[in-house]
Amino acid sequence: MITFPKFNIYIKNNFTKINNTKTHSDSLNFNNTNLAPLAMDTVTFTGRHKRNPNPSAFDLADSVLAMVPLRGKTNEQIRADKAISDYSDKASFKVAKSLYDDLEFAHNRFKSDISQIFSGIPVLEVGSSQFSNLYGQNIIDNLEAGKPILAITARRKSPESIAEKMNAKGIKSKKAAKERITDFSGIRIILPGKNKNEGNYVLDKLANAIRKGWISISEIEVFHNPELRPVYRYAYANEANLHKVETVARKQGVKDFRLITKSTESGYPTIHMLVNLPGNIKGELQIISLNVLELKDIEDMCYKVLTNKKLDSRYSDIEALLTQVREDTQEYADFMEYTRQAYALERKKELGMTKQDTTFLNLPKDNQIPKELDFNSIALMKKNANAIFRSQKFREMFSKYVDDKSVDCNSLFEDITVQEVQRLLNEECYGWVR
C-alpha cells in the first residue's frame, strides 16, 4: 500500500536511482545518424596506387589520411556541408505516414532474414517490451560467455523522420523516396569489439546467406577513425572477409556492388551495409562495437546541435551549452579533434591497447574548450535530465490513480501496463527511431 505523500519517495527509491550507476545498457544510443565524411577522404577498396600495384584498402586509407588536412575547412563550410534543417513541419506528413505503413512488411522481412542468418540471437525491436526485457541481459550474458555478437536491434524509420528527410532532399513522391532514402529499416549488430574474429564471423554468415539467396546486399561502407593508424589494426574485420561478401554478391547478380572505406570528421568507426528489401525498399545493416556505441549516445547529441538540429526539450541545457561551440570556429575544430580522440580511446580500450579506464576521454588540460563540454559532463547532464523526466512522467501516470487515499499497488499496476512502465524507464537511451 502506498499513499500519495509517499509517492515521490517511492519513485525516487525505485526508479531514479538507476541513474547513479553507469551500465552498458544505461547509455546506449540507437540513433542511426550517418556522420558526414571528409570531402576528400574517400577510398574504394578496388582502387590502385601508382607506387604499389596491389595495396590493401587499409594502406590506401592511411596514405590518403596523410594528405588530407582534418581542420582545413572553416566552421561555415563545415556547417554548410553537414547541416540538415528540420523540415518535418513543412513535409506532407500524409505521404510520409503512407510510406511508413508501406515499410511494415519489408521491415519485418528484414528482421526475419537476420533472425534466420543469426539463429539463436533474438532481433529486438527498439521500444518494444521484448527489447526492454531482454536487451541489457543479453549484453551481460553474451559478454560473460565470450560470444562474438552481444545483441541485435532493429528499428523502422518514423513518419516524422521520413517527412524530414524527404523535404531535406527535396523529395515529393513515394517512388522518389524509395529510390533515394536508404535507411527506412535499420538493424544493428553489436560486437564486443575485442578482435577481428567477431566481425569476420558476421561477414562470413552474411556471405553464406547471400549465396543461399536469403539476403541481398549491394554496398558496404567502412567508416574508420583518422586517429587510429594503421587502419587495419583497429578495423572490425579483415579486408579479405569484406571482399568475400562483395564476390558472393556479384555472383548473385549485384553487378554494381560498392565496397568503400572512408574516415569521418568525428572518427565514428562502424560498418554500414545497404540491403535490398521487398517493395524497392532500402535498409541499412550496421556493425558496431559496444564501447563505441556508448560514446555514440553522447556524441550524437553534440552532432545534432552542431548541425543545427534540435534536441528533445528535456535537454535544453545541453543544447544551449553546445550551441556556443557551433558559433565558434576554433572551438568547433578543437571539439572535433577531441571527439576523434575519444572514439579512438574507446577502440583502444576494447582491443586492450590501453590501461586507461575512464568512462570517456576527459578534455585535454591545454584545450580551450569549456570544461562543461567534456563528454563525461554531458553524460551526467543527460542522466540528470532523464531522471527528472522519468519522475515527472511517473507522477503524471500515477496521478490518475493516486490521491490522498491509500491505493493497492497490485490494482494500480493492473491498470498501468508493465510495458508502459518499461517504455518510460528505457525511453531516453533507446531512441534509434529517427
Side-chain angles (χ1 to χ4, degrees):
M1 302 282 287
I2 61 172
T3 60
F4 188 68
K6 295 181 180 180
F7 178 71
N8 287 342
I9 298 176
Y10 176 79
I11 291 297
K12 180 179 179 181
N13 291 340
N14 290 278
F15 297 109
T16 62
K17 65 183 179 181
I18 63 173
N19 287 278
N20 298 328
T21 305
K22 177 179 175 61
T23 65
H24 281 297
S25 60
D26 187 43
S27 63
L28 297 184
N29 176 57
F30 294 86
N31 192 300
N32 208 23
T33 303
N34 191 2
L35 300 183
L38 295 174
M40 295 176 59
D41 195 7
T42 302
V43 184
T44 62
F45 276 109
T46 54
R48 289 292 179 264
H49 194 279
K50 291 181 179 179
R51 295 184 181 179
N52 182 353
N54 295 294
S56 76
F58 298 137
D59 288 337
L60 283 171
D62 285 330
S63 67
V64 172
L65 285 174
M67 297 186 290
V68 178
L70 291 174
R71 296 170 60 177
K73 291 186 177 183
T74 66
N75 193 39
E76 289 73 18
Q77 288 172 325
I78 292 170
R79 286 160 59 188
D81 287 345
K82 294 173 64 177
I84 300 176
S85 299
D86 185 358
Y87 290 104
S88 56
D89 57 330
K90 304 175 185 177
S92 173
F93 190 78
K94 183 177 180 180
V95 174
K97 180 61 168 65
S98 178
L99 269 168
Y100 176 80
D101 294 337
D102 290 349
L103 297 175
E104 184 173 7
F105 175 77
H107 181 61
N108 289 335
R109 174 65 182 272
F110 193 10
K111 292 194 296 181
S112 176
D113 291 342
I114 294 299
S115 294
Q116 185 177 19
I117 295 168
F118 301 98
S119 59
I121 305 175
V123 178
L124 306 176
E125 183 74 30
V126 174
S128 68
S129 58
Q130 184 190 38
F131 182 95
S132 301
N133 292 332
L134 298 179
Y135 177 79
Q137 195 60 49
N138 282 359
I139 292 285
I140 295 171
D141 292 345
N142 291 329
L143 268 175
E144 292 178 348
K147 297 290 184 64
I149 297 176
L150 299 180
I152 301 177
T153 62
R155 72 96 177 94
R156 178 169 39 146
K157 204 169 188 67
S158 69
E160 294 81 3
S161 182
I162 294 171
E164 177 186 328
K165 182 159 283 191
M166 284 179 64
N167 281 272
K169 290 177 174 286
I171 299 171
K172 303 298 183 183
S173 67
K174 290 173 63 174
K175 180 180 178 181
K178 290 180 179 181
E179 291 173 350
R180 297 177 57 191
I181 297 177
T182 59
D183 61 344
F184 281 120
S185 176
I187 289 183
R188 176 173 278 164
I189 299 176
I190 304 167
L191 312 177
K194 298 181 182 299
N195 55 62
K196 293 188 183 70
N197 291 336
E198 302 160 5
N200 293 340
Y201 170 80
V202 172
L203 292 173
D204 287 347
K205 284 278 191 180
L206 291 172
N208 188 49
I210 294 171
R211 187 180 295 109
K212 293 179 178 179
W214 292 355
I215 193 171
S216 174
I217 296 175
S218 57
E219 180 179 291
I220 299 178
E221 286 185 302
V222 182
F223 296 95
H224 59 85
N225 188 313
E227 296 285 333
L228 299 174
R229 300 172 63 187
V231 172
Y232 72 84
R233 182 178 298 173
Y234 303 93
Y236 287 129
N238 290 328
E239 184 181 345
N241 295 77
L242 292 165
H243 277 297
K244 182 178 180 180
V245 174
E246 177 187 20
T247 300
V248 175
R250 289 184 180 278
K251 288 182 178 179
Q252 291 297 108
V254 185
K255 302 301 182 184
D256 57 347
F257 190 97
R258 295 202 315 154
L259 181 53
I260 37 184
T261 183
K262 58 178 75 170
S263 72
T264 57
E265 186 185 24
S266 72
Y268 169 51
T270 184
I271 298 176
H272 287 180
M273 301 184 189
L274 191 65
V275 180
N276 303 311
L277 302 175
N280 195 33
I281 300 294
K282 301 292 190 302
E284 185 175 79
L285 180 62
Q286 184 186 54
I287 300 173
I288 191 170
S289 56
L290 184 60
N291 277 25
V292 169
L293 195 56
E294 288 185 332
L295 176 58
K296 183 67 177 74
D297 175 48
I298 305 303
E299 191 269 331
D300 187 65
M301 300 181 77
C302 304
Y303 172 80
K304 286 182 178 180
V305 177
L306 294 177
T307 53
N308 299 313
K309 302 194 76 171
K310 295 289 185 181
L311 299 181
D312 187 286
S313 59
R314 80 182 87 161
Y315 305 127
S316 58
D317 290 345
I318 298 176
E319 184 173 330
L321 192 65
L322 292 169
T323 299
Q324 62 182 301
V325 175
R326 189 177 67 198
E327 303 301 328
D328 187 295
T329 301
Q330 185 57 48
E331 282 188 1
Y332 179 91
D334 288 343
F335 190 73
M336 285 297 99
E337 183 175 349
Y338 167 56
T339 302
R340 290 190 294 272
Q341 293 172 355
Y343 273 124
L345 176 62
E346 295 310 308
R347 278 300 287 145
K348 288 179 179 179
K349 287 195 295 187
E350 289 174 335
L351 294 167
M353 294 182 175
T354 178
K355 294 183 179 180
Q356 187 170 344
D357 59 357
T358 56
T359 302
F360 299 124
L361 180 68
N362 293 312
L363 278 174
K365 293 182 179 179
D366 59 347
N367 203 297
Q368 299 303 309
I369 302 173
K371 63 180 181 180
E372 292 84 5
L373 297 185
D374 188 299
F375 284 133
N376 297 286
S377 298
I378 297 174
L380 181 59
M381 290 178 67
K382 182 175 184 289
K383 282 188 176 184
N384 291 337
N386 288 332
I388 294 171
F389 175 80
R390 279 198 297 267
S391 294
Q392 291 173 340
K393 287 297 182 181
F394 274 113
R395 280 196 293 271
E396 292 172 7
M397 182 187 300
F398 285 103
S399 64
K400 296 182 298 183
Y401 303 92
V402 181
D403 51 23
D404 292 334
K405 300 177 182 179
S406 296
V407 177
D408 188 324
C409 287
N410 292 327
S411 64
L412 184 65
F413 279 95
E414 285 178 4
D415 293 320
I416 302 175
T417 66
V418 173
Q419 287 82 0
E420 190 172 3
V421 173
Q422 289 169 336
R423 178 183 61 77
L424 285 171
L425 285 171
N426 294 290
E427 185 272 341
E428 82 287 353
C429 52
Y430 304 129
W432 188 41
V433 291
R434 297 181 69 255

